[in-house]
Amino acid sequence: MSWITGAGLTAYGKHPGHSTVDLMSTAAAAALADAGLLRGDIDGLLTGYSTTFPHLMLSTVFAEHFGIEPRYAHAIQLGGGTGFAMAMLAHHVVEAGLARNVLVVAGENRLTGQSRDAAVQTLAQVGHPAYEVPMGATIPAYYGLVASRYMHEVGLSERDLAQLAVLMRGHAQRHPGAQFREPIGVDDVLASKPVATPLKLLDCCPVSDGGAAFVVSRDRVNDFAVRIIGTGQAHTHQHVSAAPSLTQFGAGASTRTAMGTAKVDIGDFDYAAIYDSFTITLAILLEEIGLAPRGASGRLAAEGHFARDGALPLNTHGGLLSYGHCGVGGAMAHLVETHLQLTGRAGDRQAGSPRLALLHGDGGVLSSHVSLVLERAA
Amino acid sequence: MNDWTQRTEGIVYQRCSACSHVWYFRRSFCPRCGTTDVAALQASGTGTIYAVTEVMRAPSEPLRAHAPYAIALVDMDEGFRMMAHVERGIDIGGRVRARFVAFGDGIVPQFTRVLP
């Protein structure tokens, strides 16, 4: 058993003059304060990576800078899946008795720390260097390919995808830390600039600066009663050219593993935090996991199913699409928001009194999948 | 053997001599059964569009002049899937044949419509 005993999150957007370790430090300090823990209480550390600060040993660079001396530390890399993979690992690290309090932290000045072209080119390297990148492919292009095939097979429309962007923007309006809060409608999404068809600008998450952190503990150290009760992963490919299927990506398998370890069913969840790098990502994940029937995610969003007061509140902070995406911290914001929801501290975003949450992240081009089940204990 | 990744006009794929598995990304063994008895073969260059996108925003200044350009996943007649450029306006299911065009620092396959 493990407990998520604290969580911290910066605003996402522009933090000019703040480095990777600055943003990590801000988020980590907030997570420790939230948990009521001191630096000396942290004996485990997991970090991800930063495209603006590539380093062989980010975890110990951060440990030294922040002022902790963990007895277990390293960085891991799994693209957008990294944050939830770190949560999964932290859970197992404390269960194995290797550490009592594991700090999981990420941060990156991805927006102001480099040129827009540099960000686009770095991210495109998840593609194959010899067989894909030379095509002038970009992350939106890889996802545009996926979208074209998936929409062809299940009958999802561009208007359906737009509903998901509108949903995330609506949620972000209630979060002061969100990068984009101006209201948008379906027609705004459809009229936004094409990036890689069928994806338009408002189908794509932004590039952001930001930091996120949480503490995974062996013991309950405070009144928060959020525990990790299920974990799962699935990895079917790296490159979209080599994906065995563009309708079955491993999200379903990963989630089934997590639900199996937690001994819960798909209908039991009353909160969901699902990776949404693009509207098509969110649609595919919702539909493959089984939180929406095939082709129905946009319709359900339009009907209020995923609203704060709906049957399954989803990404109430605004998701990657509107809260923002700073790399590893991107999906970690989903977890921080889930923690706030399960502890009843989401303020005017509070979605009732959720007890059981499903979190799912992916890295690459729907390549690497990580699922978590979080529960509010009695 | 002509291989566009080596700047000669052609498409190379591989087949396992033991289990007959076919794949595209070159390596010295079969990713399904592990044998090192694999053959590199020249593809015919014909296939069917599996997925397609038009890229409006190129990743770098040298490629900006080419945009918009269309990228597709093509299911080749030999049984492997590859990424390539494609003539704009061809939909999923369209039958296509490869030619080779200069792009960036090298050449890339660009598929054009095969008339039925």
Side-chain angles (χ1 to χ4, degrees):
Chain A
M1 180 167 322
S2 73
W3 302 88
I4 299 177
T5 50
L9 182 67
T10 71
Y12 283 9
K14 287 185 178 175
H15 292 281
H18 292 255
S19 69
T20 288
V21 289
D22 290 339
L23 292 161
M24 291 172 77
S25 299
T26 302
L32 262 59
D34 194 44
L37 293 171
L38 302 173
R39 279 168 168 72
D41 298 320
I42 300 299
D43 56 358
L45 173 66
L46 294 173
T47 67
Y49 56 88
S50 165
T51 66
T52 58
F53 182 56
H55 194 285
L56 294 180
M57 301 172 66
L58 184 59
S59 67
T60 42
V61 166
F62 176 76
E64 176 190 287
H65 180 77
F66 192 62
I68 53 177
E69 295 181 7
R71 57 194 176 107
Y72 183 93
H74 55 89
I76 68 171
Q77 292 185 296
L78 206 60
T82 306
F84 293 170
M86 290 195 290
M88 175 173 177
L89 180 60
H91 165 74
H92 291 294
V93 164
V94 300
E95 280 208 323
L98 300 175
R100 298 184 72 87
N101 297 298
V102 178
L103 173 64
V104 177
V105 57
E108 181 172 341
N109 54 339
R110 185 171 279 194
L111 177 56
T112 63
Q114 60 190 341
S115 73
R116 183 57 62 106
D117 269 7
V120 169
Q121 288 162 23
T122 299
L123 298 174
Q125 302 304 316
V126 302
H128 196 290
Y131 290 98
E132 295 182 338
V133 175
M135 300 296 162
T138 57
I139 291 278
Y142 302 134
Y143 277 87
L145 287 169
V146 168
S148 76
R149 185 70 203 186
Y150 189 83
M151 293 162 77
H152 175 80
E153 293 213 5
V154 311
L156 203 66
S157 71
E158 292 184 44
R159 183 165 286 273
D160 291 323
L161 293 184
Q163 295 285 3
L164 297 171
V166 171
L167 175 75
M168 288 302 101
R169 184 60 59 89
H171 286 175
Q173 283 176 289
R174 293 202 181 197
H175 200 310
Q179 186 167 353
F180 290 109
R181 301 177 65 196
E182 311 76 30
I184 57 170
V186 166
D187 290 338
D188 296 316
V189 182
L190 294 175
S192 63
K193 193 172 66 174
V195 176
T197 61
L199 302 175
K200 297 162 290 291
L201 188 64
L202 292 176
D203 288 301
C204 309
C205 69
V207 173
S208 319
D209 299 335
F214 45 85
V215 181
V216 177
S217 301
R218 192 170 180 189
D219 302 314
R220 236 177 113 168
V221 302
N222 51 38
D223 290 338
F224 303 146
V226 177
R227 57 186 180 189
I228 301 173
I229 60 167
T231 61
Q233 294 190 13
H235 309 273
T236 59
H237 63 282
Q238 173 63 32
H239 306 106
V240 65
S241 304
S245 160
L246 294 191
T247 51
Q248 296 285 348
F249 288 94
S254 170
T255 307
R256 281 191 297 276
T257 301
M259 292 192 299
T261 55
K263 298 183 174 60
V264 299
D265 294 317
I266 193 71
D268 296 339
F269 296 104
D270 47 18
Y271 186 80
I274 308 296
Y275 199 77
D276 58 320
S277 53
F278 297 91
T279 52
I280 187 64
T281 319
L282 183 56
I284 289 174
L285 293 177
L286 287 169
E287 295 174 14
E288 182 176 336
I289 288 167
L291 296 175
R294 290 285 186 187
S297 54
R299 175 176 60 75
L300 287 181
E303 291 171 359
H305 184 80
F306 300 118
R308 270 181 306 278
D309 57 355
L312 186 68
L314 171 71
N315 301 351
T316 49
H317 64 307
L320 300 166
L321 285 165
S322 282
Y323 193 85
H325 195 350
C326 57
V328 174
M332 288 169 63
H334 291 62
L335 192 151
V336 173
E337 178 73 0
T338 304
H339 193 258
L340 292 176
Q341 289 286 354
L342 293 178
T343 52
R345 299 184 295 153
D348 64 357
R349 300 189 311 281
Q350 187 63 42
S353 184
R355 189 191 69 80
L356 192 69
L358 175 64
L359 296 82
H360 186 87
D362 88 81
V365 188
L366 292 155
S367 318
S368 279
H369 294 268
V370 187
S371 311
L372 302 171
V373 177
L374 267 52
E375 178 189 56
R376 172 169 51 83
Chain B
M1 198 164 303
N2 287 350
D3 181 351
W4 71 270
T5 67
Q6 308 298 317
R7 297 184 179 225
T8 54
E9 297 191 356
I11 297 162
V12 175
Y13 69 105
Q14 289 179 300
R15 183 196 289 139
C16 176
S17 306
C19 77
S20 300
H21 183 52
V22 167
W23 67 93
Y24 184 42
F25 297 165
R26 64 178 162 267
R27 65 202 80 170
S28 60
F29 54 88
C30 171
R32 188 160 76 184
C33 76
T35 180
T36 53
D37 187 8
V38 301
L41 301 164
Q42 194 83 60
S44 63
T46 54
T48 305
I49 300 291
Y50 179 74
V52 62
T53 184
E54 282 195 21
V55 178
M56 307 295 176
R57 203 270 187 221
S60 64
E61 194 53 46
L63 298 183
R64 213 88 77 201
H66 294 276
Y69 46 88
I71 294 177
L73 294 176
V74 183
D75 279 345
M76 302 300 288
D77 290 351
E78 290 84 357
F80 66 97
R81 182 172 296 161
M82 65 178 286
M83 186 180 289
H85 278 207
V86 63
E87 202 178 10
R88 291 174 70 195
I90 303 181
D91 292 332
I92 287 173
R95 289 285 297 161
V96 290
R97 182 187 310 280
R99 61 179 185 180
F100 299 86
V101 298
F103 187 79
D105 296 331
I107 61 170
V108 297
Q110 184 191 54
F111 283 81
T112 59
R113 196 185 309 271
V114 175
L115 296 175

